Amino acid sequence: MTGRVSRIPGVDDDGHGMISDTSGTTATEGELLETAMRRALDLAARGPVTGGNPQVGCVLLDPDGRVVAEGWHHGAGTPHAEVEALTAARAAGVDPRGLTAVVTLEPCNHTGRTGPCSVALLEAGVARVAYAVEDPGAVSGHGADRLRAGGVEVVPHVLAAEAEEFLHLWLTAVRRGRPWVTVKWAQSLDGRAAAADGTSQWITGAAARQRVHEERAASDAILTGTGTVLADDPSLTARGEGGELAPHQPIPVVVGERAIPVDAALRRHPAGLIETGTRDLDAVLGDLNDRGLRRVYVEAGPALVSALIAGGHADAFSVYVAPMLLGGLDPSRLSIGELGVGTIAEARRLELDAVERLGDDLHLLLHPRAECPRPSGSED
Amino acid sequence: MTGRVSRIPGVDDDGHGMISDTSGTTATEGELLETAMRRALDLAARGPVTGGNPQVGCVLLDPDGRVVAEGWHHGAGTPHAEVEALTAARAAGVDPRGLTAVVTLEPCNHTGRTGPCSVALLEAGVARVAYAVEDPGAVSGHGADRLRAGGVEVVPHVLAAEAEEFLHLWLTAVRRGRPWVTVKWAQSLDGRAAAADGTSQWITGAAARQRVHEERAASDAILTGTGTVLADDPSLTARGEGGELAPHQPIPVVVGERAIPVDAALRRHPAGLIETGTRDLDAVLGDLNDRGLRRVYVEAGPALVSALIAGGHADAFSVYVAPMLLGGLDPSRLSIGELGVGTIAEARRLELDAVERLGDDLHLLLHPRAECPRPSGSED
């Protein structure tokens, strides 16, 4: 890589807007596109994490490789990144004809609240489109195909791995038609969610509880059960350290057939409330997908948590472990209940992605191991 | 501290053996003793961690502050550190009369397999003795008192805090007349020691299991229960990565009233076997103390582990957490059973001393919080 390090935002040593390396050697075409894609990914990250739409960034390059305009998606109901970049170019007096659009996600081909980006790029006369990841929601055909048919050169898969990782939750949710489910729980070191008498406030400390608020704020929905609502009457809002409401509030979703009291705190939740009226988890998650809710954060009792894990619905785990022992032989006080694991070989093996000390507590982030047996496999 | 940094082993820029700082300024008397004590602590650490005797180091200084001899205790049955240093001085042709002895632990005053060090120092004619920590086992009077009575100047508490930390396990055990007890267990993230059918091999991976062997090798005894012996027939030897026996083997101690089979693997343990024939933990630990066993490592089933914790016998916890979920509602599969905790305020709160990733697993080291309620307190 020595001597081939390209820079962003593309201002070389002579002060020009061309993306070039610092040694004075001109970057190759592929390097130019990768450098521009890195910039597009940085722009994408400025958009909201939550919401039904993905975070997308776009950079427009002139034929000499200079960045002439940038854009990113600011959330549902606002222009897509490509359209924002084209608008920025025109506002700067740049004619988009003949430009290269570098965009983190394949331009869409469907008409929603905005028109198809493929058409916008075609009509603007861009000569080339590079993208990182294919549009997993291309139900109306692929934007790349329409662009090629219109005579635009298409360069797919530029920095595909980086973009896949960046959009992993959204891509997974859209590709399989079910939200990304992060299951959270707090427990004592010995795996209890409560003491013998049911008391559990507070197993974890202030720093851990604040992190939970941050995880809520990065979610589209919070899944809980009627049992938790009836027992604890939680508010499930995302709040800052001063108790103030976070700008984004995930919508609470209650699983179960029992009615929720008319005076439940959840009925005053700023994002509204979804009462599913069912314990059918496939139906619940399908409904959330249809509503464009991609990131579901589970804060529920052991029964619902265990059912989600046993059913293979958990994509990630956020576990808070308090350095305390509670002991006790009452199974209802355990953080995790029945998972259908009969023998050690059937254990739900996880990968530990991160471990962090939060105050006195430990915070673990994990995901299921690929070879983790599914219920159908373990029941054979 | 600038300009006052003394060095060890006391060779100054001119090649002399005097302990002085690097700026050419002579260190104060107190600094000279602290520097020599640091050296004595380094020497002490060369001795064996295990065994009934403490790790002790000794440095002899001439009237100009030069280190003229060193010694440390190599284990029960060998000379104490002071005697080794005096022997080294004489072997080097140095007359011990008028020297200063700097020793990490107050010289002993009792006659065991070796004579009292206080007498040896008096007979050698040393002028001054500095020590860090008082001898907690001074049942025959304090060595410091005998030295003072013999006209020797005594400087106590030099680097006392460092020496207390260094000898913490041994000092705690000797002062209260009960061994230091480290309770170890391995569990799934959700606190199970086994799956529903009782299988548990292997919850943790090779790196964690090797660490257990290292913890065994640093212990004087391994405490287990008849239940574990009858169910698993463990060998409880300390082995290296190649399976070879470690140089030091802790002696296995079996708690419980049931008989151990004549062909049990434990009967072939290289360190022997202690069958207690009782479940009285106070009696067992008192007996181990009388045998000079200071560091007890507990590898037992949930019943014995929980009884030790509930009884307030656990000084430290070594917990291996495997990134897996086992679930299940059978209380006998839990890593920790009944602790007598009725409500969250009675939780056995711990301090997390260290967390480390060992292969796929987590290894946690913890100790009880000072305010942790004892059973008598929680039953009030």
Side-chain angles (χ1 to χ4, degrees):
Chain A
M1 293 297 285
T2 46
R4 306 304 261 162
V5 180
S6 297
R7 295 185 313 164
I8 282 297
V11 177
D12 64 18
D13 290 346
D14 300 324
H16 294 112
M18 184 169 172
I19 294 176
S20 66
D21 69 14
T22 52
S23 68
T25 314
T26 304
T28 66
E29 201 61 24
E31 288 168 341
L32 272 177
L33 292 179
E34 289 192 359
T35 302
M37 188 63 81
R38 261 184 210 102
R39 175 64 180 166
L41 283 167
D42 286 346
L43 295 168
R46 297 183 183 182
V49 171
T50 53
N53 290 356
Q55 293 172 290
V56 181
C58 180
V59 163
L60 294 179
L61 304 179
D62 72 11
D64 292 329
R66 292 184 183 90
V67 174
V68 295
E70 301 178 335
W72 67 92
H73 183 51
H74 297 252
T78 67
H80 286 189
E82 301 92 319
V83 172
E84 189 180 72
L86 289 170
T87 302
R90 291 187 185 107
V94 176
D95 184 346
R97 280 180 292 184
L99 296 184
T100 292
V102 178
V103 57
T104 56
L105 188 68
E106 180 192 9
C108 74
N109 198 39
H110 80 282
T111 304
R113 279 178 278 197
T114 60
C117 290
S118 56
V119 172
L121 290 164
L122 277 172
E123 289 177 350
V126 301
R128 188 169 61 158
V129 172
Y131 67 84
V133 178
E134 280 183 15
D135 179 10
V139 287
S140 323
H142 277 277
D145 294 336
R146 184 181 278 197
L147 286 164
R148 281 193 199 93
V152 173
E153 182 191 351
V154 173
V155 184
H157 309 314
V158 177
L159 291 188
E162 287 89 333
E164 276 280 343
E165 187 180 341
F166 172 70
L167 275 184
H168 183 60
L169 272 64
W170 184 87
L171 287 168
T172 302
V174 172
R175 281 173 185 155
R176 71 182 181 198
R178 207 182 74 217
W180 180 271
V181 176
T182 299
V183 178
K184 167 253 167 184
W185 70 86
Q187 65 169 46
S188 61
L189 175 57
D190 56 338
R192 270 72 172 184
D197 66 351
T199 49
S200 62
Q201 286 189 323
W202 301 101
I203 281 185
T204 52
R209 297 201 300 274
Q210 184 52 41
R211 179 64 59 85
V212 169
H213 281 282
E214 292 163 16
E215 292 188 321
R216 285 179 186 168
S219 304
D220 297 318
I222 300 188
L223 199 70
T224 192
T226 51
T228 297
V229 175
L230 294 169
D232 302 339
D233 191 26
S235 58
L236 296 183
T237 48
R239 293 182 180 271
E241 291 187 24
E244 74 284 3
L245 285 173
H248 169 75
Q249 292 291 326
I251 185 165
V253 179
V254 183
V255 174
E257 295 169 358
R258 284 182 285 176
I260 297 171
V262 290
D263 61 345
L266 276 190
R267 296 202 181 279
R268 300 186 294 278
H269 195 284
L273 171 64
I274 297 175
E275 297 182 74
T276 67
T278 179
R279 286 182 293 181
D280 181 332
L281 296 175
D282 280 312
V284 168
L285 293 172
D287 176 53
L288 298 185
N289 183 68
D290 293 343
R291 294 171 187 254
L293 299 168
R294 309 285 182 220
R295 296 159 203 82
V296 173
Y297 187 64
V298 179
E299 295 196 76
L304 180 52
V305 163
S306 302
L308 283 160
I309 297 170
H313 299 297
D315 296 305
F317 302 90
S318 173
V319 185
Y320 297 85
V321 179
M324 65 166 66
L325 300 173
L326 287 169
L329 302 176
D330 181 350
S332 74
R333 303 308 181 206
L334 298 171
S335 63
I336 300 295
E338 183 57 51
L339 297 181
V341 173
T343 190
I344 193 77
E346 297 171 3
R348 300 257 165 191
R349 291 185 180 270
L350 312 177
E351 297 277 354
L352 184 60
D353 297 313
V355 56
E356 183 184 357
R357 293 178 75 147
L358 280 177
D360 291 333
D361 305 309
L362 275 184
H363 183 210
L364 311 185
L365 294 172
L366 314 98
H367 69 270
R369 257 197 219 176
E371 67 268 38
C372 177
R374 294 292 179 220
S376 60
S378 62
E379 286 164 12
D380 284 347
Chain B
M1 295 298 286
T2 45
R4 306 304 261 163
V5 181
S6 296
R7 296 184 310 165
I8 282 296
V11 177
D12 65 17
D13 291 348
D14 301 322
H16 296 112
M18 184 169 172
I19 293 177
S20 66
D21 68 12
T22 52
S23 69
T25 314
T26 304
T28 66
E29 200 61 24
E31 288 169 340
L32 272 177
L33 292 180
E34 290 191 357
T35 301
M37 189 64 80
R38 262 184 209 102
R39 175 63 181 167
L41 283 166
D42 286 345
L43 294 169
R46 297 184 184 180
V49 171
T50 52
N53 290 356
Q55 293 172 291
V56 180
C58 179
V59 163
L60 294 179
L61 304 178
D62 72 13
D64 293 329
R66 293 184 182 90
V67 175
V68 295
E70 301 178 335
W72 67 92
H73 183 51
H74 297 252
T78 68
H80 286 190
E82 302 91 319
V83 172
E84 189 180 71
L86 289 170
T87 303
R90 291 185 184 109
V94 176
D95 184 346
R97 279 180 291 184
L99 296 183
T100 292
V102 178
V103 57
T104 56
L105 187 68
E106 179 192 10
C108 73
N109 197 39
H110 79 281
T111 305
R113 277 178 278 199
T114 60
C117 290
S118 56
V119 172
L121 291 164
L122 277 172
E123 290 178 349
V126 302
R128 188 170 61 159
V129 171
Y131 67 85
V133 179
E134 279 183 16
D135 180 10
V139 287
S140 323
H142 277 277
D145 295 336
R146 182 181 274 195
L147 287 164
R148 281 193 197 92
V152 174
E153 182 191 352
V154 174
V155 184
H157 309 315
V158 176
L159 291 189
E162 287 88 332
E164 275 281 342
E165 186 180 341
F166 172 70
L167 275 184
H168 183 59
L169 272 65
W170 185 87
L171 288 168
T172 302
V174 172
R175 282 173 184 154
R176 72 182 181 198
R178 207 182 74 217
W180 180 272
V181 176
T182 299
V183 179
K184 166 252 166 182
W185 71 85
Q187 65 169 46
S188 60
L189 175 57
D190 57 339
R192 270 70 171 184
D197 65 351
T199 49
S200 63
Q201 286 188 325
W202 301 101
I203 282 185
T204 51
R209 296 200 301 274
Q210 184 53 40
R211 179 64 59 86
V212 169
H213 280 283
E214 292 163 15
E215 292 188 321
R216 287 179 185 167
S219 305
D220 298 317
I222 299 188
L223 200 70
T224 192
T226 50
T228 297
V229 174
L230 293 169
D232 301 339
D233 191 27
S235 58
L236 296 183
T237 48
R239 293 182 179 271
E241 291 188 23
E244 73 284 4
L245 284 174
H248 169 75
Q249 292 291 325
I251 185 166
V253 178
V254 183
V255 173
E257 296 169 358
R258 284 181 285 175
I260 298 171
V262 290
D263 60 345
L266 277 190
R267 296 203 181 279
R268 299 186 295 278
H269 195 286
L273 170 65
I274 297 175
E275 297 182 75
T276 68
T278 179
R279 287 182 294 181
D280 181 333
L281 296 175
D282 280 312
V284 168
L285 294 172
D287 176 53
L288 297 186
N289 182 69
D290 294 343
R291 294 172 187 253
L293 300 167
R294 310 288 182 218
R295 297 158 203 83
V296 173
Y297 188 64
V298 179
E299 295 194 77
L304 180 52
V305 163
S306 302
L308 283 160
I309 298 170
H313 299 297
D315 296 305
F317 302 90
S318 173
V319 185
Y320 296 86
V321 180
M324 63 165 69
L325 301 172
L326 286 169
L329 303 176
D330 181 350
S332 73
R333 304 309 181 204
L334 298 170
S335 64
I336 301 295
E338 183 58 49
L339 296 180
V341 174
T343 189
I344 192 79
E346 298 171 3
R348 300 257 164 189
R349 291 185 181 271
L350 312 177
E351 297 277 355
L352 184 59
D353 297 312
V355 55
E356 183 185 359
R357 293 178 75 147
L358 278 178
D360 292 333
D361 305 307
L362 275 183
H363 183 211
L364 310 185
L365 294 172
L366 313 97
H367 69 269
R369 260 198 216 175
E371 67 268 41
C372 176
R374 294 292 179 221
S376 60
S378 62
E379 285 164 14
D380 283 345

